[in-house]
Amino acid sequence: MLGYILRRLLATIPVLVIVAVLVFLMLRLTPGDPAAVIAGDNATTEQIGLIRNRLGLDKPILTQFLIWAGNLAQGQLGESFFFKKPIGELIAGRIEPTLALAFATMLIAICVAIPLGVLAAYKHGSWIDRIVMGFSVLGFSVPVFVIGYALIYVFAITLGWFPVQGYQPLSGGFGGFLQRLVLPAVTLSVIYIALIARMTRASVLEVLSEDYIRTARAKGQVERKILFRHALKNAAVPIVTVVGIGIALLIGGVVVTESVFAIPGLGRLTVDAVLARDYPTIQAVILLFSGVYVGINLLIDLAYSLFDPRIRY
């Protein structure tokens, strides 16, 4: 097991290197000049040139990459062009809202989707099954921002149950923190409920046709025990996989949801950095997201051994 973990960790290094090179080149080769954005619309060519020189953007691309890679190897993410702060400080200040939103989203999705998927499999072909599958199709079809604006209109503007936008840190009080987190988390969880419920239904439905399920029923075991102790446990590997994929896909959903609800997290930071052509911030955030994605995939692989005893490392 330890050898497997070390091999997987070493395998992540080339992936992150390739991501770093591609992101660096894409940012440098796409149209737009950070110096012009910083200088403003009325800036002269000389003023823009001075800013480019101060930021090191007048150096060859290879030189810029080597400087950035050298700083990164020393654990230095650099300083933001636009925010004028160390990027590590920016990320540290924005990570709590993103983690809170991601955790709440997956908690809602798992707690709702897995029972729904098991119920749909148990009631296969019934009206309950059709409703769950219809919701899954709807969850995949409707964009996140449409769901967000609909929930804002109904529950924030019309009913007044929740704030329209904004975020309150946990240190400011749990009530306000939870009140401002409910709508964004529900908005973002819809697509993951659809994804996990659909996979749970398919996996449990396949397991329910196995001989050991019929044997358990013949022994007179309670149906609830059969569903959750036997069927769900043996169907867990694909469900764990799709949950892990869902966590990785949160990256894109967080960007949109944080923009809709004006949450000052990493997603919103990414949007602001892209609009400002803030190269160092974009590179650092994408590398962070890539590292999280790779780490989640490693955890999924390790989780297989907990659910499938046939797997050996």
Side-chain angles (χ1 to χ4, degrees):
M1 176 69 77
L2 182 59
Y4 173 78
I5 295 174
L6 291 176
R7 289 194 302 271
R8 289 302 307 270
L9 288 175
L10 290 175
T12 63
I13 296 176
V15 174
L16 294 177
V17 170
I18 293 172
V19 170
V21 173
L22 290 177
V23 171
F24 187 91
L25 291 177
M26 288 175 62
L27 289 174
R28 264 51 178 197
L29 297 178
T30 51
D33 188 353
V37 175
I38 294 172
D41 296 334
N42 299 322
T44 62
T45 305
E46 290 76 12
Q47 291 172 330
I48 295 175
L50 288 174
I51 294 175
R52 286 180 57 83
N53 179 264
R54 177 170 58 83
L55 298 177
L57 297 175
D58 56 344
K59 295 182 174 64
I61 292 180
L62 179 59
T63 303
Q64 294 182 46
F65 177 77
L66 292 176
I67 293 173
W68 176 69
N71 292 333
L72 189 63
Q74 299 175 22
Q76 300 176 8
L77 298 176
E79 183 174 308
S80 166
F81 290 168
F82 182 74
F83 296 99
K84 309 296 183 184
K85 290 183 179 180
I87 296 173
E89 181 180 326
L90 275 176
I91 292 176
R94 300 289 191 100
I95 199 168
E96 181 193 326
T98 299
L99 288 178
L101 177 58
F103 178 79
T105 297
M106 293 313 299
L107 182 64
I108 293 172
I110 292 170
C111 292
V112 174
I114 292 179
L116 278 181
V118 173
L119 181 62
Y122 179 62
K123 298 290 186 179
H124 175 60
S126 68
W127 63 270
I128 296 177
D129 184 24
R130 288 193 289 270
I131 288 177
V132 173
M133 289 302 96
F135 173 79
S136 297
V137 173
L138 187 65
F140 283 122
S141 304
V142 181
V144 173
F145 68 88
V146 173
I147 298 172
Y149 286 128
L151 291 180
I152 288 174
Y153 177 77
V154 174
F155 294 101
I157 296 176
T158 304
L159 299 176
W161 292 355
F162 301 99
V164 175
Q165 291 179 323
Y167 174 79
Q168 178 176 309
L170 185 58
S171 58
F174 183 74
F177 165 79
L178 188 61
Q179 190 180 34
R180 286 167 175 80
L181 195 62
V182 169
L183 286 186
V186 171
T187 297
L188 193 52
S189 68
V190 170
I191 186 172
Y192 300 108
I193 292 173
L195 178 66
I196 298 170
R198 196 175 185 88
M199 179 57 70
T200 302
R201 174 188 177 273
S203 300
V204 173
L205 193 60
E206 182 179 355
V207 169
L208 286 176
S209 63
E210 297 291 339
D211 292 337
Y212 60 85
I213 297 295
R214 286 192 289 269
T215 302
R217 283 173 174 160
K219 290 181 177 180
Q221 291 193 11
V222 179
E223 199 67 26
R224 185 176 63 236
K225 183 178 180 181
I226 294 173
L227 286 174
F228 288 95
R229 183 173 178 179
H230 298 290
L232 184 59
K233 181 179 179 180
N234 287 280
V237 171
I239 298 172
V240 169
T241 302
V242 80
V243 168
I245 294 172
I247 295 173
L249 292 176
L250 274 173
I251 295 170
V254 161
V255 172
V256 177
T257 307
E258 288 185 355
S259 298
V260 170
F261 288 92
I263 298 175
L266 293 178
R268 185 66 189 177
L269 176 64
T270 304
V271 173
D272 293 340
V274 169
L275 294 176
R277 309 292 298 174
D278 192 346
Y279 293 161
T281 303
I282 300 171
Q283 291 163 184
V285 173
I286 292 179
L287 273 181
L288 175 63
F289 285 158
S290 301
V292 171
Y293 186 90
V294 170
I296 289 171
N297 279 279
L298 176 60
L299 291 175
I300 292 171
D301 290 343
L302 296 178
Y304 283 164
S305 62
L306 299 177
F307 298 101
D308 193 341
R310 297 171 298 176
I311 298 176
R312 295 290 182 269
Y313 298 100

